[in-house]
């Protein structure tokens, strides 16, 4: 038996557990199980790892993508740059090697929708997910500007978003939790009146399928994309890592 697990807090809703259970059944992958490590603090993880001798790999979700870094023995190059871990492989030695597959999922789900005029991006939010998005955009040679509630050394504030800035950044990515179920009425406070049909709005949220952010963009004629394809692609990238194929 090979065991895989999702590390997080309050994760009964988990996409990963359902996805991998269905994958194992559909693809007739035998002797594999996927479970949840639902823990109140990251300090509880080493005990769970020691008590699960069949553990071969883990996914990591909110709120532990950054908190888990000190527990890793090795880090993939992309993870070193992004500093947010969502995939762990248990090496033959028992050591933990961390990866980030969020950037792969985001990049590969975005590319089919990119047009030549999508030459620059606004990233809404400055958390761990924003770092993966920025890393992917850098790979695609698309310059980006971070936007947050308060101006900082790395971000401008929402209040600073002018018509000129919105028009100059035809790609807008929401990496904040604003609009996630059940608080579906929430949305990032950007000036939607300046969004046009040239814009592509991408929301990392997948529940609901169409967030208020996406609905407001669609009402202005923008192309919209939610985070479900990214989730599938990052999960498949994790599976390849666990099976030495990536």
């Amino acid at each position: 038996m090979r065991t895989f697990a999702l590390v997080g807090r309050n994760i009964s809703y988990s996409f990963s557990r359902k996805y991998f259970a269905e994958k194992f059944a559909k693809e007739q992958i035998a002797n594999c199980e996927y479970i949840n490590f639902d823990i109140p603090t990251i300090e509880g993880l080493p005990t769970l790892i020691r008590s699960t001798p069949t553990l071969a790999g883990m996914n990591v979700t909110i709120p532990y993508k950054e908190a888990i870094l000190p527990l890793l023995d090795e880090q993939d190059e992309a993870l070193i740059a992004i500093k947010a871990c969502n995939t762990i492989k248990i090496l033959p030695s028992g050591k933990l090697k961390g990866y980030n597959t969020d950037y792969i999922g985001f990049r590969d789900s975005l590319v089919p929708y990119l047009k030549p005029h999508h030459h620059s991006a606004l990233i809404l939010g400055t958390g761990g997910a924003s770092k993966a998005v920025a890393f992917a955009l850098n790979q695609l040679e698309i310059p980006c500007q971070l936007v947050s509630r308060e101006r900082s050394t790395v971000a401008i504030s929402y209040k600073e978003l002018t018509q000129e800035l919105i028009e100059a950044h035809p790609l807008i990515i929401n990496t904040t939790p604003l609009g996630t179920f059940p608080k579906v009425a929430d949305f990032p406070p950007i000036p939607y009146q300046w969004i046009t049909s040239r814009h592509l709005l991408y929301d990392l949220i997948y529940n609901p399928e169409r967030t208020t952010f996406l609905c407001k963009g669609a009402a202005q004629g923008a192309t919209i994309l939610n985070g479900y394809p990214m989730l599938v692609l990052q999960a498949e990238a994790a599976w390849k890592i666990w099976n030495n194929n990536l």
Side-chain angles (χ1 to χ4, degrees):
M1 176 65 72
R2 299 171 76 207
T3 301
F4 303 92
L6 177 67
V7 181
R9 186 194 302 155
N10 300 326
I11 51 174
S12 58
Y13 66 89
S14 164
F15 160 88
S16 298
R17 188 174 186 179
K18 181 173 183 288
Y19 179 81
F20 279 105
E22 291 175 353
K23 176 182 175 68
F24 296 157
K26 184 173 66 176
E27 299 178 24
Q28 297 183 318
I29 299 170
N31 299 316
C32 286
E33 63 175 353
Y34 195 101
I35 62 177
N36 283 349
F37 284 166
D38 199 327
I39 50 178
T41 67
I42 198 63
E43 285 74 25
L45 183 59
T47 300
L48 282 173
I49 293 172
R50 285 193 297 271
S51 64
T52 314
T54 55
L55 190 65
M58 294 177 280
N59 292 123
V60 186
T61 190
I62 295 170
Y64 299 133
K65 290 186 180 185
E66 293 166 300
I68 204 165
L69 295 179
L71 300 182
L72 301 176
D73 299 296
E74 298 180 27
Q75 296 187 20
D76 174 68
E77 281 184 28
L79 175 55
I80 292 170
I82 296 168
K83 297 181 175 64
C85 174
N86 78 314
T87 299
I88 295 173
K89 182 176 183 176
I90 314 297
L91 300 178
S93 62
K95 291 184 175 181
L96 309 183
K97 183 171 182 178
Y99 300 81
N100 185 295
T101 64
D102 281 334
Y103 85 91
I104 298 172
F106 172 74
R107 180 195 66 202
D108 293 356
S109 61
L110 174 67
V111 165
Y113 295 86
L114 287 176
K115 301 287 192 295
H117 67 268
H118 294 136
H119 49 70
S120 56
L122 293 175
I123 300 176
L124 311 181
T126 55
S130 74
K131 298 184 181 86
V133 167
F135 186 85
L137 292 175
N138 183 58
Q139 286 193 326
L140 297 170
E141 300 183 339
I142 298 174
C144 57
Q145 170 65 60
L146 294 175
V147 186
S148 191
R149 286 170 294 185
E150 303 292 335
R151 171 177 264 279
S152 69
T153 55
V154 297
I156 63 173
S157 70
Y158 287 107
K159 296 190 289 271
E160 294 175 82
L161 289 175
T162 62
Q163 181 176 355
E164 183 180 14
L165 276 174
I166 294 293
E167 290 176 350
H169 295 83
L171 177 58
I172 304 177
I173 304 112
N174 177 39
T175 71
T176 78
L178 291 170
T180 307
F181 181 84
K183 298 183 179 180
V184 297
D186 292 349
F187 56 90
I190 67 172
Y192 293 91
Q193 68 270 25
W194 295 321
I195 289 171
T196 70
S197 59
R198 287 173 57 82
H199 281 85
L200 169 57
L201 269 59
Y202 191 128
D203 201 329
L204 267 56
I205 295 168
Y206 66 97
N207 183 17
E209 186 176 328
R210 284 169 64 107
T211 58
T212 301
F213 168 73
L214 293 181
C215 288
K216 284 178 171 288
Q220 296 293 115
T223 301
I224 60 171
L225 183 62
N226 73 19
Y228 188 80
M230 173 181 169
L231 272 178
V232 171
L233 290 167
Q234 65 82 22
E236 288 299 324
W239 181 248
K240 288 179 181 176
I241 286 169
W242 296 331
N243 291 282
N244 301 316
N245 294 324
L246 187 67

